[in-house]
Amino acid sequence: MRDQLYINGQWVNPDLGGYFETLDPATEEVIQRVPAGSEEDIDHAVRAARRAFDNGWGQSSGAERADWLEALATELEGRQDALALLEVRDNGKPLPEAQWDIGDAIGCFRYYAELARELDQQQNEPLALPDERFRCHIRREPIGVAGQIIPWNYPLLMASWKVAPALAAGATVVLKPSELTPLTALELAAAADTIGLPAGVLNIVTGLGADAGSPLSQHPQVDKLAFTGSVPTGAKIMSAAAADIKNISLELGGKSAFIVFDDADIDAAVEWILFGIFWNQGQVCSATSRLLVQQGIASKLLERLVEAARAITIGSGLEQGVLLGPLVSKGQLEKVLGFVEQATRSGARLLTGGKRPAHLERGYFIEPTIFDEPAENSIIWREEVFGPLLCVKRFNTEEDAIRMANASRFGLAGAVMSADPQRATRVANGLRAGIVWVNCSQPTFNQAPWGGMKQSGIGRELGRWGLDNYLEVKQVTEYIGTEPWGWYLK
């Protein structure tokens, strides 16, 4: 395990000599000490990234960058099992989920290697003009130095979503992982070091948000800020970016609705509902945490749903058969328990869960929790919990379902389940969300855009849209007329 920062292709101690501890959320035991980067370390990293961009990486071909991305993917693949185990210890998620995440991260680097190669073919694209005396072509050039801040719920996967497209575009990176889950980001640095990625192209600085994240968002030599996390922190980053008119992309919170019509298959609906809210302990920005069920199916579906939720195996993510691990930290557990208390006080009916499992005395565990019929203006219905907590309300008509789903300041995702394809299409089109799933919840692909509307963020990640985050578009127009322009000099 690494206990140094990775700056300019070297492992270095934090400038101020500070460290913090990262804990195993299943046991509450210290895993290791981690360097606490400071403003000074961020400055070193940004300046290294600037030199690397100006001195070669920014002028490299897409094919050259693709080779580096492929090499990085191959190196990560060789460490895949160890990375998954480390992710479980640092984050708490069940091992099969971690293995899935690491595989997706590797696939993300390979996908953007493909797009980097295609970028070469798209350069100098001719543009037809109405005046034949001029010729124009379009270039897509890297944005420069990217400052990236990632959350703790998918540590290596969120790093790959940002690092891979940035490097593919020709940008250089300073990455600040969450202080709660920094370990696999440091292993990403180790992989980059092993393959000999040019110094300064990828810099990873661990540390607290105020000490490292804030200086990164305010650094004048950062050209692009990419952040995934909470709305309040996103607002601060947006404000910091405004001072220098920095390019930003923000992937923020969600309170996504899952609409189930009475013609849906109950067993299939229950499976997707469980997946939509209890995967990764509900610590998912797109979690379909508001369930809207049509009256005709509500009683039968809820009976089956509660039974299935109570059967979910809870424990350490390293134990075989566990489907629900601990929350990431004591603070996150206390936050979720606070939502449970508030929901109970406000009159919502607790159907199951809401407390620590009786057989687990240590670790940040909470049972799968379902509340029935909270008020539409209640905190539990309106605000993101980021835990295994589902709220259920009933509806009568299609119009009611769409209205209730859209009555949110968030607009990240949504889902609809119906045996009627036309109705499913109408509802999908009517939802004000950047991601809509039909007859499923949460499938995510590197090729498809990811991002939301309203307070769920700005811009899109993944797919070609993710690459575009790190590219500037330039027009080059040439006068090819045979006569002098002759506007001033006759």
Side-chain angles (χ1 to χ4, degrees):
M1 294 185 186
R2 314 290 166 174
D3 62 354
Q4 291 179 299
L5 307 173
Y6 189 69
I7 297 175
N8 199 33
Q10 297 180 331
W11 292 103
V12 298
N13 294 324
D15 199 68
L16 298 183
Y19 291 84
F20 62 94
E21 294 176 335
T22 185
L23 305 181
D24 183 332
T27 64
E28 304 181 42
E29 296 173 351
V30 174
I31 303 173
Q32 73 168 77
R33 70 172 196 166
V34 180
S38 63
E39 183 175 357
E40 289 81 356
D41 299 303
I42 290 293
D43 184 60
H44 296 326
V46 172
R47 292 181 184 278
R50 172 57 59 192
R51 289 192 300 271
F53 180 79
D54 292 341
N55 296 334
W57 188 260
Q59 295 77 44
S60 61
S61 69
E64 291 171 322
R65 299 191 297 271
D67 288 344
W68 285 112
L69 288 167
E70 287 282 7
L72 194 51
T74 299
E75 181 63 28
L76 292 173
E77 196 167 44
R79 304 166 181 245
Q80 191 164 359
D81 291 342
L83 287 168
L85 289 170
L86 190 59
E87 203 85 303
V88 174
R89 292 193 65 201
D90 208 18
N91 170 272
K93 65 181 64 190
L95 181 58
E97 293 187 26
Q99 291 169 329
W100 193 339
D101 291 352
I102 304 304
D104 278 354
I106 294 165
C108 187
F109 280 101
R110 289 220 161 95
Y111 171 71
Y112 280 104
E114 295 176 11
L115 292 196
R117 290 191 182 94
E118 292 177 9
L119 193 58
D120 284 342
Q121 302 164 14
Q122 298 162 2
Q123 283 293 29
N124 301 317
E125 175 188 357
L127 184 67
L129 299 176
D131 190 329
E132 294 181 354
R133 295 174 297 175
F134 296 89
R135 180 166 56 201
C136 182
H137 66 265
I138 304 301
R139 290 184 55 79
R140 302 172 76 203
E141 299 181 352
I143 200 165
V145 176
Q148 303 177 334
I149 302 174
I150 58 172
W152 43 259
N153 56 340
Y154 291 93
L156 187 62
L157 186 57
M158 291 295 96
S160 72
W161 281 22
K162 287 181 169 53
V163 171
L167 299 190
T172 54
V173 170
V174 178
L175 177 73
K176 207 294 278 185
S178 168
E179 58 267 32
L180 295 177
T181 54
L183 299 184
T184 50
L186 291 172
E187 291 304 310
L188 173 61
D193 191 57
T194 298
I195 67 170
L197 188 70
V201 169
L202 175 61
N203 307 272
I204 297 183
V205 180
T206 55
L208 306 182
D211 298 332
S214 181
L216 180 59
S217 66
Q218 296 174 27
H219 200 289
Q221 290 192 31
V222 170
D223 302 295
K224 160 78 181 184
L225 287 171
F227 170 76
T228 298
S230 70
V231 172
T233 304
K236 291 178 182 177
I237 288 173
M238 191 172 182
S239 177
D244 293 324
I245 320 297
K246 294 186 194 301
N247 184 302
I248 63 168
S249 52
L250 302 173
E251 203 272 275
L252 307 177
K255 191 69 176 178
S256 304
F258 194 148
I259 301 170
V260 180
F261 286 92
D262 56 13
D263 61 352
D265 178 270
I266 288 181
D267 287 339
V270 167
E271 175 67 24
W272 284 113
I273 293 165
L274 295 172
F275 193 81
I277 185 57
F278 298 135
W279 182 261
N280 201 35
Q281 294 68 252
Q283 298 169 137
V284 184
C285 55
S286 61
T288 36
S289 55
R290 291 185 297 151
L291 176 61
L292 296 166
V293 187
Q294 199 163 24
Q295 287 282 4
I297 200 176
S299 296
K300 187 178 294 186
L301 185 145
L302 286 180
E303 180 181 352
R304 178 73 183 89
L305 182 64
V306 169
E307 177 187 10
R310 289 173 177 168
I312 292 174
T313 305
I314 309 170
S316 166
L318 296 175
E319 294 178 13
Q320 189 171 5
V322 164
L323 295 177
L324 193 80
L327 299 185
V328 73
S329 68
K330 181 180 180 181
Q332 189 62 22
L333 175 61
E334 290 174 345
K335 176 185 173 184
V336 174
L337 289 173
F339 274 105
V340 171
E341 182 181 352
Q342 188 280 332
T344 303
R345 287 200 313 266
S346 68
R349 187 164 68 99
L350 180 63
L351 299 181
T352 190
K355 63 184 185 301
R356 171 185 286 276
H359 69 289
L360 295 168
E361 297 181 356
R362 292 178 62 82
Y364 310 126
F365 295 96
I366 184 173
E367 296 173 336
T369 302
I370 303 175
F371 277 101
D372 192 23
E373 289 296 337
E376 282 193 57
N377 64 353
S378 66
I379 292 175
I380 198 72
W381 183 257
R382 292 186 291 107
E383 298 300 323
E384 184 176 42
V385 175
F386 227 63
L389 194 156
L390 178 69
C391 292
V392 184
K393 289 187 74 65
R394 293 154 182 78
F395 70 90
N396 291 307
T397 68
E398 182 179 315
E399 292 72 23
D400 288 339
I402 294 173
R403 176 194 63 78
M404 294 169 72
N406 286 338
S408 172
R409 66 190 176 101
F410 298 109
L412 181 54
V416 54
M417 200 152 196
S418 173
D420 182 344
Q422 292 182 329
R423 175 162 61 184
T425 298
R426 286 195 307 270
V427 174
N429 292 343
L431 292 176
R432 291 285 295 160
I435 306 153
V436 179
W437 296 292
V438 175
N439 291 330
C440 59
S441 178
Q442 307 305 314
T444 305
F445 302 94
N446 289 322
Q447 295 77 8
W450 184 274
M453 302 178 184
K454 299 186 275 189
Q455 290 191 29
S456 286
I458 296 172
R460 296 293 182 269
E461 293 190 303
L462 295 183
R464 299 181 181 278
W465 301 265
L467 185 67
D468 288 342
N469 277 331
Y470 300 95
L471 291 168
E472 297 278 19
V473 176
K474 175 191 286 185
Q475 62 140 312
V476 179
T477 300
E478 177 186 3
Y479 181 63
I480 57 173
T482 57
E483 300 295 329
W485 182 238
W487 187 265
Y488 292 102
L489 301 177
K490 303 296 185 182

